[in-house]
Amino acid sequence: MPAAKTAIMEREAMLSGKTFVLIGAALLIGAGASAYVLHAHAPSHAAEPKGPSTAVPAVPVTAAHARKGDVPIVLEGLGTVTPINTATIRTQVQGTLDSVDFVEGQNVKRGDVLAKIDPRVFEAQVDQAEAALARDQASLKNAQVNLARTQPLAARGFATQQLLDTQDSQVAQGQGTVALDKAALEAAQTQLSYTTITAPFDGVTGIRHIDPGNIVHPTDTTGLVILTQLEPISIIFTLPSTDIPEVQKAIASGEASVDAYDAANTHKLDHGSLMLIDNQVDASTGTVQLKASFPNEKKNLWPGSFVNIHLTIAIRHDAVTVPLTAVQQGPNGAFVYVVDAKHVVSARDIKAGQSREDKVLVDQGLSGDETVVTAGQYRLKPGTSVEIVSDNRKDVVQNATTASAGMLP
């Protein structure tokens, strides 16, 4: 019993020691937590004082001055080069083609010989007509002489009235026959003239369709060659029918002028004048055709080609223009960023007119002495300070395309 009691007492002593240790550890942990809380809420006297705020750097942009001056009001349309005169050269008589007297692509004048047909048959017809005319003229002369002899005899009663009337009718008949022979001779001479084919107007010959030695007919569809007039030449183009009143005013005032540009709309081909507005509107498209004439001295305009037409209908004096890239679109319409003397921008609402050649006509909103931002607008808002960079540093200007590609911070 004493040994067992001693063991029990030793076990209780060990448990009491562990409990004391656990209580002590808990007290130490609580003290540490209190100290941490007090330290966290206590003011830090070692913190550095705050300095002045850093200024926002100016946004780099490119800019241009709004310009004031004369601006042409231009309507643009698509057109087709159309010759004023073109003709398929055909023979008017049947025969053997003796010769072709032109070179393909040759410039010819009105009356120049283009081809010849064997004339012998037609020369014989002329000879026949001349012989018939000579015969009938002799018969008429004989009838006139007989009538001249009979008239004084009839006046003295030595010739009957019937004889006088017969001879008078013979003279009239002879005169009719001679007139008929003259007409036949003229017809034969005309037919003979058709054996020599000439140019009906100044122009350029095309590709030859038939060779010498072939039999040609007036009914041949292809003809000998196509002759086309190039100087002057015309262009038929279309515009919306809503532009008709403005074009009519331009024609009446004499301000209408037309310029033809190539298919890329970059190179000017010729300058001409407006001839007419067609008398009908195409109801299916709502457009109207117009025709303009061009001197085409350099032959830049070729029949059948497509061109761009710039029709000037008026000149706007003291008009304000800005670069196309300066105009932005907002909830209220078009606007531009104007840079003041302190290089601070403000948004200015404008009313934009026509846009061409990278310039926009400003109808309202600018006076012409402002500086407007042309690149870098997406980082701007009213009151932003900007730095206007020169052209050799424009690569530092960040634009919307770069930002949209995710390349900007």
Side-chain angles (χ1 to χ4, degrees):
M1 289 296 295
K5 186 176 182 180
T6 302
I8 293 171
M9 291 177 65
E10 289 177 356
R11 186 179 297 174
E12 291 176 352
M14 290 177 63
L15 291 173
S16 299
K18 290 181 179 179
T19 302
F20 177 77
V21 172
L22 291 171
I23 293 172
L27 292 174
L28 289 174
I29 291 173
S34 301
Y36 173 77
V37 172
L38 291 173
H39 176 75
H41 288 79
S44 177
H45 297 287
E48 296 181 359
K50 295 182 179 179
S53 60
T54 305
V56 179
V59 177
V61 298
T62 59
H65 292 289
R67 297 187 178 275
K68 196 172 185 179
D70 293 344
V71 176
I73 305 301
V74 179
L75 303 177
E76 297 189 15
L78 293 176
T80 304
V81 180
T82 305
I84 295 178
N85 290 312
T86 184
T88 299
I89 305 301
R90 295 185 176 91
T91 177
Q92 292 181 267
V93 294
Q94 179 178 332
T96 303
L97 187 62
D98 268 357
S99 65
V100 174
D101 300 303
F102 68 90
V103 178
E104 295 170 314
Q106 176 185 352
N107 290 315
V108 297
K109 299 292 184 181
R110 177 184 173 90
D112 287 352
V113 176
L114 300 180
K116 291 181 181 178
I117 297 173
D118 186 359
R120 290 174 295 177
V121 173
F122 304 97
E123 289 174 345
Q125 292 176 355
V126 171
D127 292 341
Q128 289 176 354
E130 289 177 343
L133 175 62
R135 179 197 62 202
D136 293 333
Q137 284 178 334
S139 297
L140 173 62
K141 183 177 180 181
N142 183 54
Q144 290 173 334
V145 170
N146 290 333
L147 176 62
R149 291 173 180 170
T150 304
Q151 285 176 339
L153 294 176
R156 288 181 291 175
F158 296 106
T160 64
Q161 185 64 36
Q162 181 181 2
L163 178 62
L164 180 63
D165 294 339
T166 300
Q167 292 182 348
D168 186 56
S169 63
Q170 288 177 348
V171 169
Q173 182 179 358
Q175 290 174 339
T177 302
V178 168
L180 183 62
D181 291 340
K182 288 181 178 180
L185 176 61
E186 290 177 358
Q189 290 173 336
T190 301
Q191 293 292 101
L192 176 62
S193 68
Y194 289 156
T195 60
T196 300
I197 302 171
T198 60
F201 50 80
D202 297 353
V204 177
T205 58
I207 298 174
R208 189 179 65 193
H209 296 157
I210 194 168
D211 299 324
N214 286 277
I215 303 297
V216 292
H217 308 81
T219 57
D220 293 341
T221 56
T222 57
L224 277 67
V225 69
I226 295 178
L227 181 65
T228 302
Q229 180 179 345
L230 297 182
E231 301 178 53
I233 204 166
S234 66
I235 295 178
I236 297 177
F237 61 100
T238 58
L239 287 177
S241 58
T242 54
D243 293 333
I244 293 178
E246 294 181 352
V247 177
Q248 288 177 325
K249 291 179 182 178
I251 295 175
S253 62
E255 294 182 343
S257 63
V258 188
D259 294 312
Y261 283 75
D262 60 4
N265 207 18
T266 57
H267 178 61
K268 181 177 177 180
L269 301 177
D270 206 349
H271 175 79
S273 59
L274 186 63
M275 297 174 64
L276 61 93
I277 305 173
D278 196 11
N279 56 7
Q280 288 186 350
V281 173
D282 188 344
S284 62
T285 61
T287 60
V288 64
Q289 287 188 328
L290 299 92
K291 190 174 184 179
S293 175
F294 296 83
N296 200 28
E297 295 176 353
K298 297 181 179 179
K299 294 184 174 63
N300 291 328
L301 300 174
W302 210 252
S305 59
F306 293 97
V307 294
N308 287 278
I309 293 296
H310 295 186
L311 172 60
T312 301
I313 59 173
I315 301 295
R316 184 81 61 83
H317 302 288
D318 295 330
V320 178
T321 58
V322 295
L324 178 62
T325 56
V327 180
Q328 305 292 302
Q329 292 295 327
N332 298 324
F335 71 95
V336 295
Y337 282 112
V338 178
V339 183
D340 63 13
K342 296 181 180 180
H343 284 200
V344 177
V345 298
S346 60
R348 183 83 60 83
D349 292 334
I350 64 170
K351 181 179 179 182
Q354 75 170 10
S355 173
R356 62 184 307 266
E357 297 181 353
D358 296 329
K359 298 289 184 182
V360 176
L361 176 63
V362 180
D363 293 331
Q364 293 179 4
L366 295 176
S367 61
D369 57 355
E370 297 90 349
T371 299
V372 296
V373 178
T374 57
Q377 295 98 325
Y378 88 102
R379 299 180 62 186
L380 303 180
K381 61 182 180 180
T384 302
S385 296
V386 296
E387 176 193 359
I388 300 177
V389 300
S390 57
D391 289 340
N392 57 0
R393 293 183 59 233
K394 63 182 180 181
D395 55 336
V396 303
V397 177
Q398 297 172 339
N399 54 50
T401 303
T402 309
S404 63
M407 300 176 62
L408 293 179

